[in-house]
DNA sequence: ACCTGAACACCGTTCAAGT
DNA sequence: ACCTGAACACCGTTCAAGT
């Protein structure tokens, strides 16, 4: 038994060479992030999962911040925005549906995006698509950028709510049921929250439609090309 | 000199009685938060600023999480939403302008709101106002709640961008100037970002108008009371 | 070049002790 | 009841040492 332990040690000492790489670290960090949340992702825990000493990571990653930026960047870079087909409304819809889908596929990165100091340049891809589409709708560039920020804050904010499990004392249905909300003080909240689970997808589509309808009514100060 | 140090010690030992209270801790935490950011707010640093040992705080606060919840709650509870006057559009505008103003007045709490596990019940006040106003506009309760989430994610997301100093690699103007954006790949971003500082207030008002215009066009499935 | 082990400077928090 | 001092279990990171 001691012998096998020694063999194990030898193996552990021989194999680690070549077993580590920046890419392997980032993908492991991503799965750990999505499985256990941003709180559980530490250098020591991550190193454990990779069967390595914490310091080994620093050969491939400058710091924890660099690690997190790298993880966020890999996800954001890989998002595939449908860039053609349909009118400007369809293009915008497709763009933010893709963004939402990516966030839901990798829920762990959403809080990182919200608190990130710097994001990769590919973060401007959906902005490019949106501004381009809105120019075709005859909307001035500045307003188009404003519309983009409206759409992106809405989209990310919405998935952020959804990911947190919706239990965080922000869910009106839950709050009404637990008696946290005095019904006489918030009658409309109480009425609207009577009932079943919240349909996040429907809520997202509703918001998208409202914004697009509102943009349609915006004064066209720009000749469409 | 040693004598004065001793006197100082005696003073420090005599005065602390009655000097500490939950309220004093929360207000000091709030100012520290707004002055130096959420990162700088630790139990040890906060205790230093209060002239006390870190453990003294635990007599008035259950944990760091409890402390942060308390700080967020005091700000959210104090927001004054204008609840009357004008049509439903004006009421909604006033509601979210007040929310935005509060966030800008206490910028330190915005990241805490975004990452909070639980928020005080008064967080449902703007929701009550919005849903109530939208019912008058003839919009069904479920859609009214959806509209509220559209507005709140937009409002908070917008101030979150603004508070971060806008330098975080998300500012297109900055990114274009630093050459992070290849102009040929993002022509519309480049065009829209040529120029001066970003007007956050105007961007917020634009978003508000777009959403309200979009809600106006929404099918009225509900008789207005 | 890549990995290890020990150590440093930080956290939030517990616990026994003082008044 | 309220505050202190020492200590515990954690962090991210540095540094010298091994191969």
């Amino acid at each position: 038994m001691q012998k096998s332990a020694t063999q194990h040690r030898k193996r552990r000492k021989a194999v680690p060479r070549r077993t580590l790489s920046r890419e392997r670290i980032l993908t492991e960090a991503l799965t750990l992030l999505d499985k256990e949340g941003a709180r559980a992702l530490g250098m020591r825990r991550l190193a454990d999962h990779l069967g390595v000493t914490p310091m080994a990571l620093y050969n491939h990653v400058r710091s924890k911040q660099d690690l997190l930026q790298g993880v966020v960047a890999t996800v954001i870079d890989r998002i595939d925005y449908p860039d053609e087909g349909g009118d400007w409304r369809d293009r915008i819809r497709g763009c933010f549906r893709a963004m939402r889908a990516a966030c839901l596929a990798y829920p762990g990165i959403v809080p990182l995006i919200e608190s990130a100091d710097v994001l990769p340049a590919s973060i401007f891809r959906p902005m490019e698509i949106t501004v381009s589409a809105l120019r075709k709708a005859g909307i001035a560039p500045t307003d188009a950028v404003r519309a983009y920020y409206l759409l992106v804050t809405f989209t990310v904010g919405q998935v952020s709510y959804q990911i947190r499990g919706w239990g965080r004392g922000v869910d009106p249905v839950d709050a009404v049921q637990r008696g946290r909300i005095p019904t006489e003080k918030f009658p409309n909240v109480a009425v609207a929250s009577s009932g079943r689970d919240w349909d996040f997808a429907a809520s997202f589509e509703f918001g998208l439609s409202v914004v697009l309808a509102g943009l349609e009514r915006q004064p066209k100060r720009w000749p469409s090309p």
Side-chain angles (χ1 to χ4, degrees), chain A:
Chain A
M1 216 187 178
Q2 288 222 352
K3 212 173 183 180
S4 95
T6 315
Q7 279 180 355
H8 206 65
R9 269 248 197 115
K10 272 191 176 176
R11 229 164 223 282
R12 280 283 240 91
K13 272 200 175 179
V15 172
R17 303 257 158 198
R18 296 277 140 258
T19 194
L20 220 54
S21 72
R22 184 177 168 94
E23 202 193 337
R24 236 177 70 80
I25 291 173
L26 292 185
T27 59
E28 182 65 28
L30 181 58
T31 66
L32 199 59
L33 204 61
D34 289 333
K35 211 190 304 170
E36 313 194 21
R39 285 225 128 167
L41 183 62
M43 300 302 273
R44 287 175 151 94
R45 268 187 72 91
L46 178 57
D48 268 9
H49 275 253
L50 287 162
V52 103
T53 235
M55 321 314 142
L57 302 177
Y58 286 89
N59 290 312
H60 306 87
V61 141
R62 240 179 299 278
S63 62
K64 189 186 180 183
Q65 208 200 2
D66 179 41
L67 169 78
L68 296 178
Q69 277 180 22
V71 174
V72 170
T74 57
V75 173
I76 288 182
D77 287 344
R78 275 205 290 260
I79 301 179
D80 186 37
Y81 299 100
D83 196 6
E84 49 192 35
D87 69 348
W88 63 275
R89 275 163 290 249
D90 295 327
R91 291 182 64 198
I92 289 177
R93 264 187 232 271
C95 180
F96 288 95
R97 278 178 187 150
M99 186 184 290
R100 186 176 110 98
C103 288
L104 291 178
Y106 302 99
I109 65 152
V110 173
L112 296 182
I113 290 176
E114 288 182 312
S115 65
D117 285 325
V118 54
L119 292 171
S122 59
I123 193 69
F124 294 106
R125 209 140 30 102
M127 182 173 168
E128 173 68 22
I129 293 171
T130 305
V131 174
S132 158
L134 287 177
R135 277 191 63 183
K136 282 185 184 148
I139 290 179
T142 301
D143 283 350
V145 175
R146 290 170 178 170
Y148 167 73
Y149 283 115
L150 165 57
L151 286 161
V152 74
T153 52
F154 158 65
T155 302
V156 175
Q158 209 86 354
V159 292
S160 178
Y161 270 47
Q162 181 170 0
I163 282 164
R164 259 175 249 282
W166 198 240
R168 53 183 290 218
V170 165
D171 176 5
V173 176
D174 179 77
V176 166
Q177 282 174 355
R178 286 170 194 253
R180 282 185 63 217
I181 295 183
T183 312
E184 69 280 6
K185 227 182 156 188
F186 301 104
N188 287 289
V189 171
V191 165
S193 305
S194 64
R196 61 225 162 273
D197 291 342
W198 188 253
D199 188 339
F200 287 100
S203 183
F204 171 72
E205 291 296 331
F206 175 86
L208 216 49
S209 294
V210 166
V211 172
L212 290 174
L215 287 171
E216 229 165 315
R217 300 206 84 186
Q218 211 59 21
K220 315 284 194 295
R221 330 168 185 168
W222 209 254
S224 90

